[in-house]
Structure formats: structure tokens, C-alpha cells
Amino acid sequence: MLTVLLSAEPSQGVWGEKALVSYQQESAVLHYQGDFVLRRIQQAARQLSAQGVSQVSLSGEGWSYERQWAFYCGFVAPRKSVEVQWASQDEDELELLNARRRSAEWVRQVVNATPEDMYPEKLAQDAVAFLEGVAGDKITHDVLVGDALLSEGWVGTHSVGRASSRPPVMLTLDYNPTGDADAPIHACLVGKGITFDSGGYSIKPSAGMVAMKCDMGGAATVTAALAYAIEQGLNKRVKLVLCCAENMIAGNAYKLGDILTYKNGLTVEIFNTDAEGRLVLADGLLKASEMKAPLIIDAATLTGAAMMAVGTDYNAIFSMQPELLRKAQQLSELVNEPAWPLPLEKWHQNNCPSDYADTGNSRAVKGGGMGGASNAAAFLSRFVSDDSCWVHFDLASCFRDGADARWAAGATGLGVANIAALLLQ
């Protein structure tokens, strides 16, 4: 067990004054002088992890809640079991750190799993088991599998997933701490659960497909956000809808030029089978609107355009309600999970025109053309009731294809605390 201390002073002697980590006797000292303290602490933790350290005790002064969490984010890694003893002596802070860690660990577990092991039904089962472990009998759920989706009119999820030998699934979960079956719904969470994305007939190249086990990051994020909010005392009724499918290629796969007719009557022409996330999310948003949820939050690894716009340190956020958008960004800063608003106006809905349907699911140009993230968000907005406040998270920062100076490869968990904070408002 390595003791880890903090210092606002530069390192001395052989370590060099710019070193992030120095050692004294049986302790490591993290040096965080200068700007961007949390980033420096996370980088230092990443260095310790890369050096083979797996058990640490955070000790001494200066370990605020935010600094302890930054250290944890840099310290964890795939294929590595780690132990972190928190520095905090405050019982409430310890509970919060441990609750956040449990949610983050679950996200990493399911997002980093191989697509062979994490398929639509398994994702739904794991989400139910995780939330039941947190909230017990306050959780009830319903699952639609395969052709049962068509009988309920959920054409997007069925179309995207029907080519796989493992059927598509829609999970609807109800967290109701009131015990009153007629209790009003406070919010509905909707998650994109594409457990593997080949791109369909708009097939991805190998380099773009190898990490597509992460395409269910939205479903994992909203599930973990609900768990984290519950552990913080959420006492309002919240629904969760996960739209889960494998986007595969077969003779019965959906094709370019197909037209889907959704439950709200909207017709959608398929210009790109690799723009599948918005097709399954449309079902989830319609479901949420049917429930008359006053607040709808969706999360998805939806567009490469969002990553091009904000990079991998931010999530992109969208809403038609400026006040809700500002609140989402303010909370992202509070929980140190950066999010940045991108443009979304009603007229963005017209940016994917079709000669044969009400809209296309994208545009027939590489990456969907200019403003791709905004156009995707506008597509989703067509399926949200005007009576609901809605915010969309395009999760640009929830996964790393490879390790960098602050993060190990794989899921980061960024977005979980931001969405949990929105639920707790």
C-alpha cells in the first residue's frame, strides 16, 4: 500500500522541478503547482498506475473531494484491480465518493466488455440487476425482445437490430420510491444501447469499428446516473428506457433507401445505416413522451461530429430550452465533467431532407455533412413532446480508444455525475 501525498511545491533534486511525481521513503508525492490542478493530479495518478502501482492510500492535507476523484479517474485501468483508500474523514463525503466509484466501475465493466459478452439482452439484464442492487423493490421493469418490438410499434430499434442473431431489446424500468403506483413521473432517461456497431451496409472500416463495443455508452451512462442519484437520496419517480441492438449485416438487414414509419406518423428515409443511434433513440424519446415525463434526458455516443467540435474532454449538450441548457452546463462544471452547448434550432430539423419521406436519418455525404451533431440532435427533437423539457448528451468524452496522459483506454464514466445532478434538481 503506497502512501500518496499532495504538495503545492515543485519537486526537488533528481526528480526535476517539473515532475508530477516524486518519492520520499515509502511515499509518493504528487506535485500540483500551477494551473489545472485536477488535470495535473489525474496525470500524476496515471503515471503511478503506469509504473505498476495498484494499491494506494491518499494521505495528508489538501485532498478535497474533487482531488480524490481526479486521482481515482487517472489511477484505474482495464485488466487491473486497484485499491484506493480515500483521504477523507467526513462520513458524507466518503459515502459520496464510494457511490460515485460504484457507478463508474459499473460503467467501465459493461462498456469495456467484449461485444460477444455484452449483447442487447445482456445489457438490459445487467442494468436491471445493477439498479435492483441499489434500490431493491423500488425497481420494476418490462422488456420487449425481438418481434415483440414491432407489435408495440418500435420500428427504429427493431429495424437496426433485426439482422443480428441476437435480438434487439427495449428495456423500460421504473424507479418509484414513493410506493404509489399513480405517483407522477419526475423524469425519464433514454439511452442508446448499440452493443456493437458494424455500420450496417454503410460499413465502417476496421479502424473505425474496433472500438464499437463502446456504442452502448449512452445506455450505460444513464443507468449509472440513475444509480448514483438514488445513492444520493433521489426520492422522485424516474423512468429509464434503454434501446438496445446490434447493428449488423445480413440479408434481412435494413437498407439505404428504406423508409421507416414511426409511432408518431413521422416517416424517415435511410440515407446511412451507420446513423443508427438516432433511429433507436427516436423510439425511446417517443416512449418517454408517451409517459408525459416533464423532463427527458437522453445520452448517446451519437456523432463523430460532436467529437470534432468539442474534442474528447467535453460532452456536447443540446436543448431547445435555453434555461435547461445553461443548467446542464452549470452542473457539469460543478461535478467536473465538462460539457459544452452546441447549436440547436427548429430549422436544423430541415437539414436532412428527403424526396420520399418527412426526413432523412442523415445526409448522403461523408459524416452527414456540416453541422452533423446539430442535425442529429434536431432529428431527435422531432420525437420529443412539446410538453417536455429535453436535453440531449452527445457523449464525446465517455470513451478513449487508447490510453493518454490522463485516462486509461476504455470507458471514462464522464457524464454520469452530470446527469445525476440534473435528476436531483
Side-chain angles (χ1 to χ4, degrees):
M1 181 69 68
L2 178 68
T3 298
V4 180
L5 308 171
L6 279 181
S7 174
E9 301 298 325
S11 58
Q12 303 294 320
V14 296
W15 308 107
E17 64 178 20
K18 294 184 178 180
L20 290 169
V21 182
S22 65
Y23 292 88
Q24 56 183 34
Q25 298 178 344
E26 296 182 358
S27 300
V29 182
L30 309 190
H31 300 273
Y32 64 87
Q33 74 282 357
D35 296 330
F36 310 114
V37 168
L38 297 182
R39 292 173 69 92
R40 289 180 63 84
I41 289 173
Q42 188 174 344
Q43 283 181 278
R46 187 85 214 99
Q47 286 188 17
L48 288 178
S49 181
Q51 291 167 8
V53 177
S54 60
Q55 297 177 310
V56 296
S57 174
L58 308 184
S59 185
E61 298 180 354
W63 284 108
S64 65
Y65 169 86
E66 292 80 8
R67 292 174 181 182
Q68 290 175 84
W69 186 249
F71 180 92
Y72 172 79
C73 289
F75 194 59
V76 294
R79 299 195 302 138
K80 183 176 182 179
S81 177
V82 301
E83 181 180 352
V84 178
Q85 292 183 1
W86 306 114
S88 178
Q89 301 299 311
D90 180 85
E91 187 173 325
D92 290 339
E93 190 169 273
L94 282 172
E95 287 184 5
L96 188 62
L97 283 164
N98 287 324
R100 193 168 183 178
R101 177 175 179 168
R102 283 189 289 270
S103 289
E105 286 179 343
W106 187 81
V107 168
R108 289 189 176 91
Q109 174 187 326
V110 298
V111 175
N112 292 348
T114 70
E116 180 63 25
D117 294 332
M118 189 55 60
Y119 48 92
E121 285 186 276
K122 181 67 161 55
L123 175 57
Q125 291 165 1
D126 283 6
V128 171
F130 177 53
L131 287 167
E132 285 182 338
V134 173
D137 61 5
K138 295 174 183 176
I139 298 292
T140 57
H141 71 280
D142 178 67
V143 179
L144 292 173
V145 181
D147 289 344
L149 290 162
L150 280 184
S151 65
E152 297 289 331
W154 305 122
V155 297
T157 306
H158 183 272
S159 296
V160 170
R162 72 190 186 207
S164 174
S165 61
R166 301 191 285 192
V169 170
M170 178 184 280
L171 167 67
T172 305
L173 183 143
D174 185 3
Y175 167 67
N176 188 359
T178 70
D180 178 4
D182 297 322
I185 296 169
H186 168 61
C188 186
L189 301 172
V190 181
K192 171 188 171 184
I194 302 297
T195 56
F196 184 72
D197 182 18
S198 71
Y201 278 107
S202 304
I203 191 169
K204 294 178 182 287
S206 292
M209 200 189 302
V210 68
M212 281 300 103
K213 62 184 181 181
C214 81
D215 217 17
M216 38 67 68
T221 297
V222 291
T223 301
L226 178 55
Y228 185 42
I230 292 169
E231 292 217 60
Q232 292 181 78
L234 178 67
N235 59 5
K236 298 176 182 177
R237 189 177 188 182
V238 174
K239 296 267 193 168
L240 172 74
V241 180
L242 303 186
C243 303
C244 310
E246 286 184 330
N247 186 21
M248 303 294 280
I249 299 171
N252 66 332
Y254 80 119
K255 299 170 287 294
L256 286 83
D258 282 350
I259 293 178
L260 307 184
T261 302
Y262 279 85
K263 287 187 74 171
N264 63 348
L266 194 80
T267 56
V268 177
E269 183 179 4
I270 305 303
F271 283 106
N272 187 342
T273 61
D274 195 22
E276 86 298 330
R278 64 200 71 180
L279 299 176
V280 304
L281 278 176
D283 283 340
L285 292 170
L286 283 173
K287 180 78 170 178
S289 295
E290 284 183 357
M291 297 172 187
K292 302 189 183 304
L295 173 63
I296 298 174
I297 304 168
D298 83 71
T301 49
L302 201 63
T303 66
M307 298 177 71
M308 293 298 291
V310 301
T312 57
D313 287 321
Y314 286 76
N315 289 321
I317 50 176
F318 302 81
S319 180
M320 294 287 196
Q321 290 87 24
E323 186 175 333
L324 177 58
L325 194 64
R326 285 192 293 271
K327 176 60 68 176
Q329 186 179 21
Q330 288 166 359
L331 291 172
S332 79
E333 295 170 356
L334 183 67
V335 298
N336 295 301
E337 291 185 347
W340 197 258
L342 291 183
L344 178 60
E345 300 291 347
K346 199 79 170 177
W347 52 261
H348 280 107
Q349 293 180 349
N350 302 319
N351 283 359
C352 296
S354 166
D355 291 329
Y356 304 100
D358 296 322
T359 184
N361 75 322
S362 184
R363 297 172 63 196
V365 294
K366 184 176 181 181
M370 296 294 185
S374 295
N375 296 340
F379 178 89
L380 296 179
S381 73
R382 291 174 174 269
F383 300 90
V384 179
S385 167
D386 291 337
D387 297 328
S388 298
C389 290
W390 164 67
V391 61
H392 162 56
F393 282 75
D394 198 331
L395 298 172
S397 69
C398 83
F399 189 84
R400 293 294 195 276
D401 288 344
D404 60 26
R406 294 192 299 125
W407 297 95
T412 65
L414 291 174
V416 170
N418 195 174
I419 294 173
L422 277 168
L423 290 178
L424 290 163
Q425 290 298 294

